[in-house]
Amino acid sequence: MLRTLNLDKKYTTDEVETTALNRVSFEIKQGEFVAIMGPSGCGKSTLLNIIGLLDNPSGGEFYFLDKEVSKFSERQRADLRKENIGFVFQSFNLIDELTVAENIELPLIYLKMPSAEIKKRVDEVMEQMQIAHRRNHFPQQLSGGQQQRVAIARAVISKPKLILADEPTGNLDSAHGQEVMNLLTELNEAGTTIVMVTHSPSDAEYAHRIIRLFDGEIVTENINARSFAKEML
Amino acid sequence: MLKNYIKIAWRNLVRNKVYSAINILGLAIGISACILIFLFVRDELTYEAHFDKADRIFRVTNDINLQGQTDKFALTPFPLAETLKKDFPVVEAVTRVMPIGKQTVWLEDKVFSEENFYFADSTFFRIFNYPFLYGDPATVLDAPKTVVITDELAKKYFGTPENAMGQTLKFSKNTHKITGVFRDPGHSHFKLNALLSVNTFDETLKKQFSGDWFRMSLYTYALLPEASKKSEFEASLDTFYAKTVVPWMKENKLNASMQYHVQPLPDIHLNNEFSYDLSPAGNKAYVYIFGLVALFILLIACINYMNLSTARSAKRAKEVGLRKVIGAHRSQLVRQFVGESVFITMLAILVALALVELLLPYFNALTEKNFSLANFGNGPFLLVMLLIVAFVGLVGGSYPAFFLSAFKPVDVLKSDNSPRGSNAWMRRILVVTQFTISLILIIGTIVVFSQMQFLKNNDLGFNKEQVVVIDIPNGDTILVNRLPVIRQKFLSNPNITKVSNAASIPGERTGRLLYLAEGANGGQMEEKTLSTIFVDYDFLDMMEIKLKAGRNFSREIKTDDSMAYIINETAAKWLGWKDPIGRSMENGLGAKGKVVGVVKDFHFASLHNKIEPLALMLAPKSQGFLMVRVAPQNLPATLSFIEENWRAFDNKHPMEYFFLDENFNKQYRAEEKMLTVFGYFAALTILIACLGLFGLASFTAEQRTKEIGIRKVLGSSVTEIMLLLSKDFAWLVLISILLAAPIAWYGMNRWLQDFAYRTEIHWWIFVLSGLAALIIAMLTVSFQAAKAARLNPIKALRAE
Ligand SMILES: Nc1ncnc2c1ncn2[C@@H]1O[C@H](COP(=O)(O)OP(=O)(O)O)[C@@H](O)[C@H]1O
Ligand SMILES: [Mg+2]
């Protein structure tokens, strides 16, 4: 699915240079569920943004679907993103002026899908996320858990191969957090590759594999015991 | 996609009501001002357009050079038209139009005094297609002693246009039969009441006129087969002049030269450089100035839009980030935001159209026109709306669009912060632009106003107040001979102090006369032209014009009535006479005489022009005007006394009188109008700019809520916080003053060049305008600042 070789990312602000990623190399296969963990400021979000083609690395190689994309233009990245990647954020990032259904259909609009098809898919995915009864509500009228489900619905509506989640449960209580983790697991079981940044060890347990970052470098990469066991069964 | 854009644009509008109202109202005011100005400018630029052949009709004009002084005449000599018809193959048709001046019309037992009556050739209506209610335009003026009148005149005289046909109008010499009734749609340099057939002229009169190439008496219009033949026409006029007119001038010992020019009909209205032109011309400069003002107002409205949209960018940043994350291209976002501004512009246009409907009556009163949205015409209307949408949508929408669409999703979607206002600089520049433009207009208004005051209050060298002027009807010698009687009658009233009559008065046209005058150091007589006023013994006394040397005309000295001249200082200087008294002069009518007095210069024409050399000649029985100086007390009684006695004295003509000062100030009508329009639009720009400032101030206050809270907890007073919030804006207004001052100074100096006599642009004008702008801006801002400063700090801090 994707592979990196010696990825670097440096930020320069006010002549101070921060190294956010330092020679990061790893590979993620189709169908994997990977968690990225590490202390605050170690470069997790930076890494996720590069994987998600929201940002270019300063150095190194990045293969996405077997294409070297590290030097792609904003436009090329946008097109790849549109087709292949769904995002879920800690702060949901729903558009306040759009209703639940309108938020969810947005990616399909940019894919220029016919409106009958859009309607069908929106109905399906809202059913799946159990938010159909909220279709004409605005985000502020929903609870955090519901908002995150809308965000997930929006991420999956275009049937992306890869879903990236940056601390998806960070703003939720544990019951709602668990719900979100179950949804992600279901998606993964249906074949979607998932990469998730998290602080919570219990959330990380849902993943097959954990990449641990410290100061911009990978310190360990281990197979998650529980999911390994699960696969053994 | 479009549906999604419109939805989000609409919901943004509805959710931010104050912001939307400010935005749309600002744009709407700007657009409505623009539409009004457009109506005015288009009207000025499309004079004569309703004539089918407008582009092929040309007027012949005449530059006359006398002693090195060139005057442009709209008038041409009588025989020119005949020649054009006979000898110019390039000319398809010709018509002459001869002004008659004020005319008395008798209709059975009623008498009317009318203007805008002309003699015209029968070809007139073949060249100028006026709509006819009755009569055949091709032949109505063929027969002698025929007249065609407008439907309005027909209604006034006969009740209906129909009744007018076949009736007769009696003039002082002839009776004319009405052969047609037409409608004058206006919007032309012709303002017609009636046209009389030139064929009425008897042969002796025609002969007297047709040999004379130097008597400028009428307007000549030629129809060419196509507009492009203009230069050919002009060239053949030059050839003709050299071949025919030059020898004639030599033969008649006329020491002058002329050049004919050809003026396209549509150019006539906005050209005001010709002497003796028909109805007062428009002013090209003012048309351009108003056009520019319209553009300025629209720009200010656009800037409002830009400022307010970028100020609230933080609120849209998340949306931009998100759309990008899910794959939107930047160009798609640009399109979305430009589209949004187009959408808002269209809403603003709806409001603007309502505003225009509301304002049109006042605007019509101001411009003395009759505009309406209905007679806009669908094509031009849509075009203008489209242009406005394009201009506002693109100019107003593009900056926010590019600004917003440049947000990086990685930055704006972070849960912890929102983007900082890196656009603060741009916003400052925009506010400065707005206030600079507003200030230029304010300064302009004050300068125009002070020039108007200067014109009205400047010492004219005579006293124009408290003078009633009676227009003496032309051509009644019996009346003129009895003027001394009415003079005595008037003077018997204790509230009437002086009475005088003169052929012309300050503020009305003064004719020029050719003279032979003694050279600077005596010696040979030289040809000179001087403006000339025929006056009576009491003119200087009544007008309170001061003598500088010599004496006034005197009843005791018999020779004064044909052998005495009084000149003004400028004339003495111009003729090079150090001691003018006793110098010899002879006018073109053959009156040999001597200079008996020199008067101090007085303004017999408007202050647009330098005082010209002037000669006063005695003609106690001149037709023209009777001037009556009245005491300020009991004015109504004095006026009715004058009216009553004049009517008893002359009951044949309708009486017409006016006040000398009002008549004199009519010369500044164009400026007066400009002042009013300038004033209103300056007020509008300030209003729009302040709307924007109000919006900006409220966003700044909102953004700094937390800072204000902390400062208050730490002990800041409300005043200190208001000062903190207002300070930034005060700086911007100050910078605007510095920018606006030189631009306005330059522009207004250019404008003042039009006046030979003009006011200074005083420094206090800049201080005053700056202060006004500053106060208005500070009132606007401090309203928001006060609200923010009064907010309970606990609330402010919790809002985070
Ligand atoms: N846009 C940016 N400009 C400058 N420095 C940044 C930027 N984004 C992140 N950083 C720095 O890069 C490092 C990694 O940040 P991030 O990837 O957000 O960490 P994490 O998500 O693991 O908390 C931090 O030191 C952060 O300060
Ligand atoms: Mg992070």
Side-chain angles (χ1 to χ4, degrees), chain A residues 84-154:
Chain A
N84 300 302
I85 307 174
F87 289 86
V88 178
F89 303 92
Q90 177 181 4
S91 53
F92 323 135
N93 285 328
L94 299 173
I95 298 179
D96 296 336
E97 285 76 22
L98 295 179
T99 62
V100 166
E102 286 159 359
N103 263 292
I104 294 173
E105 69 181 6
L106 209 53
L108 300 186
I109 287 176
Y110 281 102
L111 282 169
K112 306 214 162 70
M113 205 168 268
S115 56
E117 173 76 16
I118 293 182
K119 195 176 166 333
K120 210 182 103 215
R121 281 226 208 163
V122 170
D123 288 344
E124 265 172 32
V125 79
M126 282 200 300
E127 212 49 61
Q128 186 186 349
M129 300 292 156
Q130 298 166 10
I131 41 177
H133 58 298
R134 298 287 193 175
R135 93 174 278 135
N136 292 321
H137 289 213
F138 286 96
Q140 302 93 306
Q141 297 167 306
L142 304 183
S143 73
Q146 286 168 326
Q147 288 193 41
Q148 194 61 300
R149 275 190 306 200
V150 174
I152 294 173
R154 185 180 57 193

Side-chain angles (χ1 to χ4, degrees), chain A residues 79 81 93 96 102 110, chain B residues 11 15 322-324 329:
Chain A
D79 285 335
R81 229 161 40 219
N93 285 328
D96 296 336
E102 286 159 359
Y110 281 102
Chain B
R11 287 185 193 150
R15 279 199 192 167
L322 226 133
R323 285 179 186 272
K324 281 193 168 180
H329 293 159

Side-chain angles (χ1 to χ4, degrees), chain A residues 39-53:
Chain A
S40 196
C42 71
K44 305 182 297 289
S45 295
T46 305
L47 182 61
L48 204 67
N49 287 339
I50 292 174
I51 297 175
L53 296 166

